[in-house]
Amino acid sequence: AQKVTQAQTEISVVEKEDVTLDCVYETRDTTYYLFWYKQPPSGELVFLIRRNSFDEQNEISGRYSWNFQKSTSSFNFTITASQVVDSAVYFCALSEANRDDKIIFGKGTRLHILP
Amino acid sequence: DGGITQSPKYLFRKEGQNVTLSCEQNLNHDAMYWYRQDPGQGLRLIYYSQIVNDFQKGDIAEGYSVSREKKESFPLTVTSAQKNPTAFYLCASSISSGGPYEQYFGPGTRLTVT
């Protein structure tokens, strides 16, 4: 069965600090995809990244970076030099290939960036 | 601008009434999805459709119904059989073939039933 665990329910950091959001997943498939989404206070989910299970290279996009480690079934997300606009709920998600493209979401981590 | 629209943003209904939530997309995506989000919870899949005139139940389909008569539209009806309908409802769409691809979300509808 597939499962996504985001153990950090809520995190608060002071602006300009770095922060890492943890994501641990469970799957029996060898082919799967991982995602991160951001949900600002407006409510609409914003897609951040999609990564397949065969690509373990870390990715950096501006202040955002992602660390994918199959050995520990983790796909962690780091925000460098955090800003108040980064305050949101962040969801990690998993989708197994050949499962009608269904995505299973974690429960999310609420991130507060304090000015 | 391409995107997904959901209307209305806020909806209030009396218990025992059916209510239909609108979802329209102009991204030319084949697949569409409905999720429910409760406070402090992740998203739970209600229904999804990968092609016109076809849809499948998600994890919490009881008390809900959908239709997919047009590629662009995927309305969700919350029936009186849904025991706890008050929630935030999100619609999403994605490219279907060769996926799974990322889903793009609408702004959501917050439904309150009293």
Side-chain angles (χ1 to χ4, degrees):
Chain A
Q2 49 180 332
K3 184 180 178 182
V4 176
T5 301
Q6 294 180 256
Q8 303 152 309
T9 304
E10 204 159 342
I11 300 175
S12 294
V13 300
V14 177
E15 196 173 18
K16 297 184 183 176
E17 288 185 353
D18 299 347
V19 57
T20 295
L21 309 182
D22 298 333
C23 173
V24 174
Y25 61 91
E26 294 178 27
T27 178
R28 294 178 185 169
D29 280 16
T30 55
T31 303
Y32 53 89
Y33 294 79
L34 296 163
F35 305 82
W36 274 95
Y37 285 86
K38 174 182 180 179
Q39 186 177 38
S42 62
E44 182 173 341
L45 266 75
V46 177
F47 165 74
L48 296 178
I49 189 171
R50 167 183 180 260
R51 178 54 61 100
N52 74 56
S53 53
F54 299 106
D55 182 3
E56 286 193 75
Q57 281 192 348
N58 291 333
E59 179 144 346
I60 298 175
S61 177
R63 296 183 296 107
Y64 295 172
S65 63
W66 290 268
N67 180 259
F68 177 29
Q69 293 197 338
K70 287 177 76 170
S71 61
T72 56
S73 297
S74 65
F75 187 43
N76 296 338
F77 173 34
T78 297
I79 302 175
T80 303
S82 61
Q83 299 176 3
V84 172
V85 293
D86 295 327
S87 296
V89 180
Y90 290 87
F91 292 97
C92 180
L94 164 72
S95 184
E96 296 169 338
N98 303 317
R99 298 291 176 108
D100 290 344
D101 298 343
K102 290 196 293 183
I103 295 179
I104 301 298
F105 288 83
K107 292 191 175 182
T109 296
R110 184 175 297 277
L111 177 63
H112 300 279
I113 308 298
L114 308 173
Chain B
D1 281 327
I4 300 176
T5 57
Q6 291 185 245
S7 60
K9 191 170 180 64
Y10 298 95
L11 191 54
F12 298 89
R13 280 294 183 271
K14 294 288 188 185
E15 195 174 323
Q17 293 179 335
N18 291 355
V19 59
T20 298
L21 281 58
S22 166
C23 177
E24 304 277 333
Q25 55 100 358
N26 61 3
L27 299 168
N28 199 32
H29 285 169
D30 291 309
M32 296 187 74
Y33 309 81
W34 273 106
Y35 293 91
R36 169 183 173 136
Q37 185 179 23
D38 294 286
Q41 300 295 314
L43 278 67
R44 292 185 290 169
L45 183 64
I46 304 172
Y47 267 99
Y48 63 103
S49 168
Q50 293 188 299
I51 196 169
V52 175
N53 292 322
D54 189 35
F55 49 82
Q56 286 77 39
K57 292 181 180 180
D59 300 318
I60 55 166
E62 185 175 349
Y64 300 97
S65 66
V66 294
S67 63
R68 187 86 187 276
E69 297 176 2
K70 298 187 298 181
K71 187 175 185 178
E72 304 80 23
S73 179
F74 191 41
L76 172 74
T77 296
V78 184
T79 75
S80 56
Q82 167 51 233
K83 294 178 181 176
N84 296 298
T86 294
F88 187 51
Y89 291 88
L90 286 156
C91 178
S93 71
S94 72
I95 300 170
S96 181
S97 59
Y101 290 97
E102 59 272 18
Q103 296 177 10
Y104 292 90
F105 286 79
T109 292
R110 196 168 296 279
L111 173 65
T112 302
V113 177
T114 58

